[in-house]
Amino acid sequence: MSLFRSEQMEFYNLVIPRESAWDVMNTLGYFDSVHLIDYDPTLPQINRPFSNYVKRCDDVLQKIELIDGEMRNYKIEKIYCPNIKDLLEKRNGGHKQFEELEQDVCKVADDLEHQQQTLNNLQEKKNIIRENLEVLRNAVAFQNEDSEEASLLGFQKMVGVILKEDELRFKRIIFRITKGNIHVEIMDIQEHFIQQDKRIVQKCVFMLFYPCGDLTQKKIQRVIESFSCNKFDIPTSQEQHTQRITSLENQLNEADQLVQWTITQINQRLRSLAEVKYNCSWIEEMRILVTKEQYLYMNLNRLNMTNSVFHGQIWLPQGQDQKIQQALRDLHGNDKQLPSGQIQECQTQLTPPTYYKLNTFTYPFQEIVNTYGIPRYKEINPGLSTIITFPFLVGVMFGDVGHGLLLFVCGLYLTSEDAKKSIFAGLVPVRYMILLIGFFAAYNGLIYNDFLSIGLNLFGSCYQLIDGEYELQEDCVYKFGIDPAWGSSANQLTFMNSFKMKLAVIIGVTHMTFGIILKGFNTLHFNNYIDFFCEFIPQSLLLICSFGYMDFLLFLKWTTKYENTNDAPSVITTMIDMVLKPFDIPDKPLFESGEQQRFIQLLLLSIIVLCVPVMLITKPLIFSLSKKNISYQQLASQVPDDNIIHEQLQHDMQKDLSQPQSRVSIQQHHEHDDISELVVHQSIETIEFVLGSVSNTASYLRLWALSLAHSQLAEVFFSMTIAGHIGQGGFFGTIGSIVQYPGFALATLGVLMCMDLMECFLHALRLQWVEFQSKFYKADGYLFKAYSFKNIKNNEPED
Amino acid sequence: MDLCVFGVDDGYAEAIIRGLRASFLTEAQYQQMKNCASIPELKSFLEETDYQNCLQADNPQIPTSILRQRLKKKLADEFEYIEAQSTGILTKYLFHLRCRFMIDNVVNMIEGLKNKIDIEILLSNIDPLGWFPEIKNIKVLEGDDYSSLYRDVLIDTPIGVYFMKFLEESIENLHENRTLNDIQNLFREMKPEYIRTSLKKMWLEDFYSFCESELMPTSQEALLELLKFEADFKTVQVIYNSIGNRDLNTAAKIITTRKQLCPTIGNLYPDCEKVYLQAMTLDALREAVKGCDNYRDLLKDAPDPLKREEFNVQTKTLDDIMYDDECRRYALSFDGQGSYGVFYAYLKLKEQEIRNIIWLAEMISRKLAKNHPGWKKIIIPFSHLGK
């Protein structure tokens, strides 16, 4: 019954001597059952004893991330660790291991960085050679008669390379400085350059011709320097020129080879890091091991260290203590010298965490409940009943055999192994929910007898078509669901509406009554008899006597056969008259005699009327009576922990006020609050319940509304697309329906299977959370968070 | 009206700024920072705040200059992001804001070059908020030839306008029959600080008129208010600093300098201009500004500039007092809705925060005793709102 109520928790003190802190935490991490309590959540991480270890782990992880990024750059495949627990056990090297890991990773990262640096330098060198080469090549283009002339006229030239983006600015400044007395030629270099910071840039060669003069030259020199570009000399003679070019080309080749060689080296190095050592790539292995260390130290930080002993408080599920104690005893094996950690059971006022053992089937349903609120410790978990009620409610709204089966098949696909690798991997966690919704949708579709808006004649209709009129056969009942003959009747919609509406109310009242019964069990479990008698009993009576009675009338009316349907009494009128004219004898009784009905209704009405004051008054009354007998002091000692903390806070805040006075006033204040708060609370609860029982019942009509919308939509899509062509038959009908079919399929898939399903899901969610859970669910617990190495994930992108 | 349409263009940028409000350090965090014993500790503390990413790559013993650079880089990145998300007038407006930093950068470069500091060091120290491509080319500057610097390099830059005005004004102020030599002398003697103050004054006036002419009423209201105060503070500062200044030996010189440096906007101008230009003592200055707002209260605690030699770390200088009051105004303006004031205030408050961190880092690195009054000398943004 682990899902019905949360696991029994026990509170333990954990004491670990400093020397074996790592080992003990390491051992505990393999158990999936330790909930560590942070001894001071307000303490910043940085002030905790192991914060520097956490920081170091962070640094190492960052380095690993760097290496990983490099591997991605080089497109090296790596293998993620499939079984983390296995790996951790194999690579368990004690608390000194981290140091080794750190060293290893740092060494690799440094090496890699070094290699990258070399590569960068090489590339930079290559860039310079290339620039030089480009300059020379371009210079050839200028070695024409113009430049000959220019040099004869005493012009000098200067050549260099600048960034393409600086070109305009460069030209302008040069122009201004020399007042236009200069000729600038710019030639783009076609190929891109890769900068040291991995930026890809374009560069261009500039060539300046300027008249001789020291001042100009100096100025130009400065400008060129300020653009931080390289300047190259141009050999004067043609011969030297070609020589330089060839030598540079050779250099470039060499540099190129070196770059290639370094890249291969880095590649090889990275490949060796991707090699599998245990069962995954080295880099991933490191990542997981370091993450584990960090996780361990972060949790160790939650313990309080005093005099080289760690004190901590933990929650354990019942029955785990033996195992853990055994494991702690075995920790050092035969070596009795080293002290080991200990756990001691003790009493506490703290609320235990809520813990359920979940599996892939129960997980999505519990998630629905948890999204609303975590169950209070030991409270009945709505998650259990949700497994059936939730898909059923969706199914009531989504009721259609065809769509339901389609969804069921989708669910089946999701349960298969293939789905995990497909694009639907995101839906895999909720696969069983989809499966169940599909099942219940198909089931409800059978009841509505609706297959993609067509009725199925599965068991042989009870109506026969005689002379264009449907005749009901004697003593014939359609085996299951609605008779398909209704599909062709004129009042089909009216009939289905009335049926679905009634069905919705019946389901609703049942669902709510179930919620109230759960409340009854809760009160019994917590030995809260006041709530049992003052809340559970009147609440259930109120609901059963009002809307429960209405359900009864519905069944009664269904089972009675009226010769003339116009004579049939209306359930709604009966219910209204029951409240407004309780003493009149109904003219169209549902029971055999009006007298009988009046008596029953009067009885029920008086029960309802009596229930309200019972709910409203009794509880505050009992409380105030019992309180009067208890003096303040006793009360203060009884009220647990919470009160003390509150007091402490108040106390701290009012430090400068005189202490005894403030304490008394606070207590009195508190006392006064208690009763008035209870009265207000109770009246709100009562009003909410009484009004809620009406409005919540009405709220269940959404079951009808949504199912109506669904069936109408399905019908519209069918009749607007292929229905006409199928009716037409023959060659053109076939062609027509083939042409129209994609429209029908897409509308069914998009609007009905996706949008409508989502809508039904949301409405069911609301019914679950508001109408059902409000009846009993306190939802003020907090989740059990296990300190477990299972929380360490490999960062495989698919997951 | 403009409240209705503010969000159309500028809603996103404003939303980002509002989100960034959460990145300000709280008073409790400042308290923790004060408790840090060493620079590595301070650094690791900052790594738990919003400054995490910009410090991670550095070594724990980070020098304060690099720390400042990192913090400013972060601010610049944020600002750049917002600038990229802005459109129309907001872009212009944000660009205007950056001009102030550009002026600082240019003047710093000039100052550095004059003192023969290596250009690489200078370039690494420039404020990233005021970076512009031409800044590298300031190197072209030869001697004190500011006009050629303007002609060759700064003319294209956003702050070229201010520089031109500055040159024109300073030349105009020379006597009638000036020679080329006079001009050169003028520039040789000119202090970079003087250039900075006059450029900023021009920027402030220009920014003021921009706000006045281009922005929507709500933004105008908020910004003109702030700018007026800033102008007034500048005026007060100029007057205050010129009292007893040894470089300005004659009364006439003091007044001309003041006239040049005091902004021609603000609450004090032009009503009190005559009076404050003549103020030669602190008391006279107090008297001059008494008509405006809370200026008198502010100046009440300011130490006498004539006793400058007696100042030490403990003295709460005029700057401190004014930063404090400014900080309050910016914080108020930050919470104003539908105006561009929020961008301005954000920038100013973040600057203050960086100043605080650097100040604390200095205090920590000097290992001053915890009861040293210097620890109290930080102004925490938004701390005024609670009171």
Side-chain angles (χ1 to χ4, degrees):
Chain A
M1 286 296 259
S2 69
L3 201 59
F4 184 56
R5 289 187 197 279
S6 59
E7 298 271 323
Q8 181 78 38
M9 294 310 240
E10 281 158 359
F11 188 75
Y12 284 91
N13 262 334
L14 177 69
V15 183
I16 320 175
R18 198 191 164 115
E19 305 87 76
S20 51
W22 191 93
D23 294 300
V24 171
M25 288 303 276
N26 188 37
T27 317
L28 291 181
Y30 290 108
F31 288 93
D32 206 10
S33 50
V34 180
H35 179 103
L36 272 172
I37 300 170
D38 199 340
Y39 79 100
D40 180 8
T42 57
L43 192 70
Q45 281 297 329
I46 191 163
N47 295 349
R48 298 186 184 232
F50 285 97
S51 62
N52 62 331
Y53 274 91
V54 177
K55 181 101 200 343
R56 268 165 71 188
C57 292
D58 246 350
D59 292 344
V60 176
L61 282 175
Q62 221 178 340
K63 286 208 168 113
I64 290 176
E65 198 48 54
L66 272 179
I67 300 173
D68 196 27
E70 224 32 76
M71 287 172 91
R72 254 176 279 133
N73 277 348
Y74 283 86
K75 299 205 169 48
I76 291 170
E77 294 284 321
K78 53 188 181 174
I79 298 157
Y80 292 97
C81 302
N83 190 343
I84 292 168
K85 197 178 169 198
D86 200 36
L87 173 76
L88 288 181
E89 270 166 11
K90 261 190 203 155
R91 291 277 277 144
N92 185 5
H95 67 281
K96 293 273 186 274
Q97 194 188 9
F98 172 62
E99 246 101 292
E100 287 168 28
L101 296 178
E102 194 182 22
Q103 269 175 14
D104 285 359
V105 172
C106 286
K107 189 165 170 290
V108 169
D110 288 348
D111 281 0
L112 208 59
E113 202 180 329
H114 187 72
Q115 275 176 320
Q116 278 293 348
Q117 194 58 45
T118 328
L119 183 62
N120 280 344
N121 289 344
L122 281 172
Q123 246 151 5
E124 192 58 28
K125 215 160 129 195
K126 194 179 135 193
N127 280 349
I128 292 174
I129 297 173
R130 260 180 67 194
E131 279 177 9
N132 200 345
L133 204 56
E134 290 288 340
V135 166
L136 289 181
R137 277 183 191 151
N138 281 306
V140 175
F142 280 107
Q143 295 291 357
N144 47 28
E145 51 274 29
D146 281 359
S147 63
E148 295 283 319
E149 237 170 80
S151 61
L152 281 176
L153 283 171
F155 275 81
Q156 285 184 329
K157 62 185 168 192
M158 213 179 268
V159 192
V161 177
I162 52 167
L163 290 178
K164 178 78 185 153
E165 57 193 63
D166 283 340
E167 181 190 331
L168 194 63
R169 224 151 45 76
F170 180 75
K171 273 184 178 172
R172 274 192 194 160
I173 289 191
I174 292 287
F175 180 85
R176 278 192 221 113
I177 276 188
T178 56
K179 304 190 176 61
N181 279 334
I182 203 159
H183 180 69
V184 185
E185 282 286 340
I186 301 270
M187 280 143 299
D188 293 351
I189 299 174
Q190 292 305 319
E191 286 161 73
H192 299 287
F193 285 82
I194 301 168
Q195 296 273 77
Q196 281 211 329
D197 53 3
K198 302 258 153 67
R199 255 184 340 135
I200 294 172
V201 292
Q202 269 208 311
K203 291 188 173 177
C204 51
V205 176
F206 68 85
M207 193 174 271
L208 307 172
F209 297 95
Y210 56 94
C212 280
D214 236 12
L215 204 71
T216 1
Q217 191 175 5
K218 232 188 202 167
K219 262 191 177 171
I220 294 170
Q221 204 87 31
R222 269 169 186 273
V223 172
I224 291 175
E225 270 171 39
S226 77
F227 276 95
S228 59
C229 54
N230 299 310
K231 202 166 66 66
F232 303 100
D233 297 328
I234 298 181
T236 41
S237 77
Q238 194 72 36
E239 216 168 290
Q240 273 177 319
H241 199 111
T242 32
Q243 228 169 13
R244 278 287 293 285
I245 289 188
T246 20
S247 86
L248 279 173
E249 268 168 354
N250 285 339
Q251 279 178 33
L252 185 65
N253 270 338
E254 264 171 45
D256 230 3
Q257 274 170 6
L258 263 174
V259 166
Q260 284 310 323
W261 186 76
T262 323
I263 289 176
T264 351
Q265 287 277 307
I266 295 177
N267 211 333
Q268 264 176 11
R269 173 121 213 148
L270 290 174
R271 240 168 247 292
S272 75
L273 300 183
E275 267 168 27
V276 178
K277 232 176 178 181
Y278 287 87
N279 51 13
C280 51
S281 298
W282 180 85
I283 182 91
E284 284 303 310
E285 188 185 316
M286 286 297 132
R287 194 202 297 276
I288 281 169
L289 291 177
V290 177
T291 317
K292 174 214 158 187
E293 292 292 328
Q294 191 180 30
Y295 184 69
L296 191 148
Y297 283 120
M298 266 154 99
N299 278 288
L300 200 52
N301 269 342
R302 295 168 149 224
L303 307 182
N304 186 10
M305 188 177 79
T306 39
N307 305 332
S308 77
V309 175
F310 286 95
H311 292 277
Q313 293 169 324
I314 54 175
W315 287 107
L316 289 179
Q318 197 174 33
Q320 290 287 332
D321 53 329
Q322 290 299 327
K323 280 191 217 163
I324 286 178
Q325 259 158 357
Q326 186 60 41
L328 289 182
R329 242 175 281 145
D330 294 348
L331 185 61
H332 291 301
N334 299 325
D335 190 1
K336 292 275 187 273
Q337 296 290 315
L338 275 166
S340 178
Q342 283 181 338
I343 53 172
Q344 282 168 341
E345 187 166 6
C346 56
Q347 293 299 314
T348 179
Q349 301 285 3
L350 298 173
T351 331
T354 311
Y355 176 47
Y356 301 106
K357 284 198 182 107
L358 294 176
N359 52 35
T360 46
F361 181 69
T362 51
Y363 163 76
F365 300 103
Q366 188 63 45
E367 203 53 31
I368 285 180
V369 171
N370 285 358
T371 311
Y372 177 82
I374 310 294
R376 180 184 278 192
Y377 177 63
K378 281 288 171 193
E379 159 175 63
I380 289 175
N381 176 17
L384 183 64
S385 61
T386 306
I387 295 171
I388 295 304
T389 55
F390 184 78
F392 182 75
L393 288 177
V394 181
V396 171
M397 291 183 265
F398 201 66
D400 186 306
V401 182
H403 297 144
L405 284 179
L406 199 55
L407 198 61
F408 189 74
V409 172
C410 290
L412 279 181
Y413 168 71
L414 287 175
T415 48
S416 71
E417 275 298 314
D418 296 344
K420 282 179 190 164
K421 294 180 194 81
S422 69
I423 50 164
F424 301 109
L427 287 172
V428 166
V430 294
R431 55 193 184 274
Y432 293 112
M433 189 189 280
I434 290 176
L435 201 68
L436 279 178
I437 290 175
F439 172 75
F440 281 112
Y443 171 78
N444 278 295
L446 274 180
I447 292 178
Y448 301 151
N449 205 342
D450 199 357
F451 182 91
L452 308 175
S453 78
I454 306 166
L456 294 176
N457 194 357
L458 291 176
F459 308 103
S461 173
C462 285
Y463 290 85
Q464 270 188 335
L465 194 59
I466 300 165
D467 301 337
E469 292 270 325
Y470 280 99
E471 287 286 325
L472 179 62
Q473 284 171 306
E474 282 293 309
D475 289 330
C476 173
V477 176
Y478 194 71
K479 297 279 189 314
F480 188 84
I482 304 288
D483 194 307
W486 279 103
S488 24
S489 85
N491 62 346
Q492 183 224 8
L493 199 60
T494 331
F495 170 72
M496 284 307 280
N497 277 350
S498 136
F499 166 71
K500 283 180 178 172
M501 225 186 293
K502 286 167 180 163
L503 200 66
V505 174
I506 292 167
I507 291 172
V509 174
T510 321
H511 200 209
M512 286 189 293
T513 317
F514 178 57
I516 297 177
I517 290 171
L518 290 186
K519 179 182 188 142
F521 282 121
N522 263 343
T523 54
L524 288 181
H525 182 266
F526 290 115
N527 291 332
N528 194 343
Y529 295 108
I530 296 178
D531 273 5
F532 183 80
F533 289 110
C534 305
E535 281 185 359
F536 165 62
I537 301 262
Q539 277 179 0
S540 45
L541 278 179
L542 194 134
L543 192 69
I544 288 167
C545 293
S546 54
F547 291 99
Y549 175 63
M550 188 168 86
D551 282 0
F552 172 74
L553 291 184
L554 291 176
F555 282 111
L556 194 69
K557 194 178 163 189
W558 274 341
T559 49
T560 321
K561 190 170 180 183
Y562 296 95
E563 284 308 324
N564 184 352
T565 43
N566 288 336
D567 289 344
S570 153
V571 175
I572 298 173
T573 323
T574 315
M575 286 306 290
I576 293 172
D577 285 350
M578 170 177 162
V579 184
L580 294 184
K581 302 179 212 158
F583 302 109
D584 292 6
I585 294 173
D587 24 318
K588 282 185 195 168
L590 273 152
F591 288 78
E592 269 166 32
S593 72
E595 196 68 38
Q596 199 183 355
Q597 184 172 337
R598 189 183 72 151
F599 171 71
I600 291 174
Q601 288 187 351
L602 263 178
L603 183 71
L604 292 178
L605 196 62
S606 43
I607 294 176
I608 293 170
V609 171
L610 271 177
C611 279
V612 178
V614 172
M615 284 194 308
L616 190 65
I617 301 168
T618 352
K619 206 173 151 188
L621 207 65
I622 294 173
F623 261 92
S624 59
L625 284 178
S626 63
K627 279 261 169 69
K628 270 183 189 156
N629 302 330
I630 305 168
S631 65
Y632 287 165
Q633 275 71 22
Q634 276 173 321
L635 184 83
S637 63
Q638 273 176 1
V639 184
D641 209 61
D642 168 51
N643 207 354
I644 297 168
I645 293 170
H646 177 72
E647 215 173 286
Q648 196 100 42
L649 262 173
Q650 294 276 353
H651 174 70
D652 283 349
M653 274 154 47
Q654 307 190 350
K655 236 174 205 166
D656 35 12
L657 288 174
S658 64
Q659 281 183 9
Q661 246 182 10
S662 70
R663 192 169 288 184
V664 170
S665 72
I666 289 161
Q667 270 181 20
Q668 276 174 340
H669 186 66
H670 204 81
E671 175 76 2
H672 185 69
D673 258 11
D674 246 18
I675 292 289
S676 62
E677 215 171 75
L678 191 73
V679 171
V680 171
H681 184 76
Q682 197 63 24
S683 50
I684 290 174
E685 285 265 284
T686 311
I687 293 167
E688 195 190 313
F689 185 83
V690 177
L691 294 182
S693 62
V694 181
S695 68
N696 288 354
T697 312
S699 184
Y700 275 94
L701 287 177
R702 70 186 69 231
L703 293 176
W704 154 63
L706 270 272
S707 124
L708 172 71
H710 182 87
S711 62
Q712 289 300 305
L713 274 178
E715 200 178 321
V716 167
F717 289 143
F718 180 64
S719 62
M720 295 297 281
T721 52
I722 52 177
H725 296 291
I726 290 174
Q728 184 189 1
F731 177 73
F732 290 106
T734 317
I735 296 294
S737 48
I738 288 174
V739 170
Q740 297 269 20
Y741 176 74
F744 172 70
L746 285 178
T748 306
L749 186 75
V751 179
L752 291 173
M753 294 302 290
C754 296
M755 272 165 58
D756 196 52
L757 179 64
M758 183 58 75
E759 203 178 347
C760 293
F761 182 90
L762 290 178
H763 280 278
L765 206 60
R766 186 218 140 96
L767 288 179
Q768 166 79 22
W769 281 348
V770 181
E771 273 75 28
F772 175 59
Q773 292 186 359
S774 69
K775 296 288 177 293
F776 67 101
Y777 189 38
K778 298 271 189 271
D780 53 359
Y782 66 99
L783 262 192
F784 175 86
K785 283 205 185 75
Y787 161 66
S788 158
F789 293 147
K790 272 189 190 161
N791 297 338
I792 299 167
K793 297 266 180 290
N794 59 13
N795 67 339
E796 208 171 335
E798 286 94 337
D799 274 38
Chain B
M1 177 57 200
D2 52 334
L3 273 180
C4 308
V5 294
F6 180 80
V8 177
D9 285 335
D10 310 324
Y12 184 56
E14 195 210 9
I16 298 169
I17 281 275
R18 301 256 174 240
L20 286 171
R21 164 76 167 83
S23 71
F24 280 100
L25 297 177
T26 61
E27 271 176 85
Q29 280 172 319
Y30 276 108
Q31 208 53 47
Q32 281 174 323
M33 254 160 47
K34 285 180 194 173
N35 289 336
C36 290
S38 61
I39 291 290
E41 209 173 300
L42 180 75
K43 181 176 174 280
S44 58
F45 172 79
L46 285 175
E47 274 173 27
E48 297 208 350
T49 66
D50 207 43
Y51 290 107
Q52 182 185 24
N53 291 332
C54 61
L55 293 172
Q56 236 160 21
D58 286 298
N59 120 42
Q61 270 297 355
I62 184 167
T64 33
S65 61
I66 295 191
L67 181 66
R68 188 208 315 268
Q69 211 55 28
R70 295 278 182 275
L71 302 183
K72 287 214 162 157
K73 181 83 182 83
K74 176 173 178 283
L75 178 59
D77 286 347
E78 284 165 359
F79 198 76
E80 203 174 315
Y81 180 73
I82 292 163
E83 220 180 341
Q85 302 296 339
S86 63
T87 53
I89 293 182
L90 182 60
T91 316
K92 274 197 215 163
Y93 166 81
L94 293 177
F95 190 73
H96 257 279
L97 287 185
R98 272 169 61 150
C99 286
R100 186 161 59 92
F101 300 94
M102 293 182 187
I103 292 172
D104 268 331
N105 280 342
V106 168
V107 177
N108 285 344
M109 288 291 282
I110 292 174
E111 195 175 3
L113 284 173
K114 268 190 157 181
N115 296 336
K116 306 260 182 302
I117 297 172
D118 189 46
I119 183 118
E120 289 303 317
I121 298 173
L122 287 176
L123 282 177
S124 69
N125 274 336
I126 59 173
D127 189 334
L129 263 172
W131 188 87
F132 56 101
E134 283 87 354
I135 194 125
K136 292 185 288 186
N137 306 121
I138 291 183
K139 202 184 168 190
V140 176
L141 175 74
E142 265 177 283
D144 302 306
D145 195 358
Y146 295 130
S147 52
S148 79
L149 174 69
Y150 163 71
R151 238 187 5 252
D152 298 340
V153 181
L154 294 176
I155 188 163
D156 271 344
T157 64
I159 63 163
V161 196
Y162 309 125
F163 216 81
M164 182 181 71
K165 255 201 236 160
F166 164 70
L167 292 175
E168 277 173 3
E169 269 182 30
S170 22
I171 293 170
E172 260 171 39
N173 278 329
L174 286 177
H175 44 84
E176 282 296 303
N177 44 2
R178 53 187 177 241
T179 61
L180 206 64
N181 248 351
D182 285 340
I183 297 175
Q184 274 178 0
N185 276 340
L186 172 78
F187 287 134
R188 193 165 304 133
E189 281 164 21
M190 197 172 276
K191 285 190 172 164
E193 212 46 45
Y194 178 80
I195 306 178
R196 190 197 307 270
T197 321
S198 9
L199 286 178
K200 280 205 176 165
K201 171 207 155 196
M202 285 166 201
W203 169 79
L204 195 65
E205 285 166 5
D206 185 48
F207 187 45
Y208 187 87
S209 66
F210 169 81
C211 291
E212 217 171 15
S213 56
E214 305 258 335
L215 299 190
M216 298 220 242
T218 322
S219 305
Q220 257 185 40
E221 197 183 333
L223 275 163
L224 296 189
E225 183 84 349
L226 286 180
L227 292 180
K228 271 182 193 165
F229 278 117
E230 210 164 297
D232 291 343
F233 283 160
K234 221 151 229 131
T235 308
V236 171
Q237 254 167 340
V238 167
I239 308 288
Y240 181 85
N241 288 331
S242 61
I243 293 173
N245 194 324
R246 261 177 266 117
D247 295 336
L248 305 165
N249 28 28
T250 63
K253 202 169 176 188
I254 288 185
I255 290 171
T256 42
T257 318
R258 282 179 177 177
K259 209 165 178 178
Q260 269 177 36
L261 293 182
C262 290
T264 53
I265 47 173
N267 295 326
L268 293 174
Y269 182 87
D271 302 347
C272 312
E273 196 197 6
K274 279 214 175 84
V275 193
Y276 67 65
L277 285 182
Q278 303 290 344
M280 290 298 158
T281 60
L282 184 59
D283 283 327
L285 178 61
R286 281 181 190 142
E287 196 58 28
V289 300
K290 71 175 178 189
C292 274
D293 213 308
N294 61 345
Y295 294 173
R296 197 195 171 123
D297 296 339
L298 289 177
L299 283 176
K300 200 171 67 189
D301 300 327
D304 198 335
L306 292 171
K307 297 174 190 154
R308 221 170 251 131
E309 284 72 25
E310 294 167 24
F311 288 7
N312 55 23
V313 206
Q314 303 183 27
T315 330
K316 202 172 182 191
T317 60
L318 182 70
D319 284 0
D320 292 331
I321 297 167
M322 287 189 165
Y323 278 143
D324 193 57
D325 198 55
E326 273 187 327
C327 211
R328 181 178 63 85
R329 292 180 200 276
Y330 294 136
L332 279 174
S333 173
F334 190 94
D335 289 344
Q337 295 297 315
S339 91
Y340 288 171
V342 58
F343 300 101
Y344 191 67
Y346 176 74
L347 207 57
K348 285 281 188 181
L349 290 171
K350 268 285 170 188
E351 268 188 277
Q352 180 61 40
E353 184 173 283
I354 293 171
R355 251 198 308 268
N356 288 341
I357 295 173
I358 297 303
W359 177 262
L360 286 177
E362 286 289 342
M363 300 292 287
I364 289 167
S365 62
R366 283 181 199 171
K367 302 214 181 308
L368 293 177
K370 293 288 162 189
N371 53 6
H372 192 278
W375 292 101
K376 294 202 180 98
K377 255 186 137 178
I378 51 171
I379 302 147
I380 301 167
F382 297 108
S383 61
H384 303 83
L385 297 181
K387 286 164 199 165

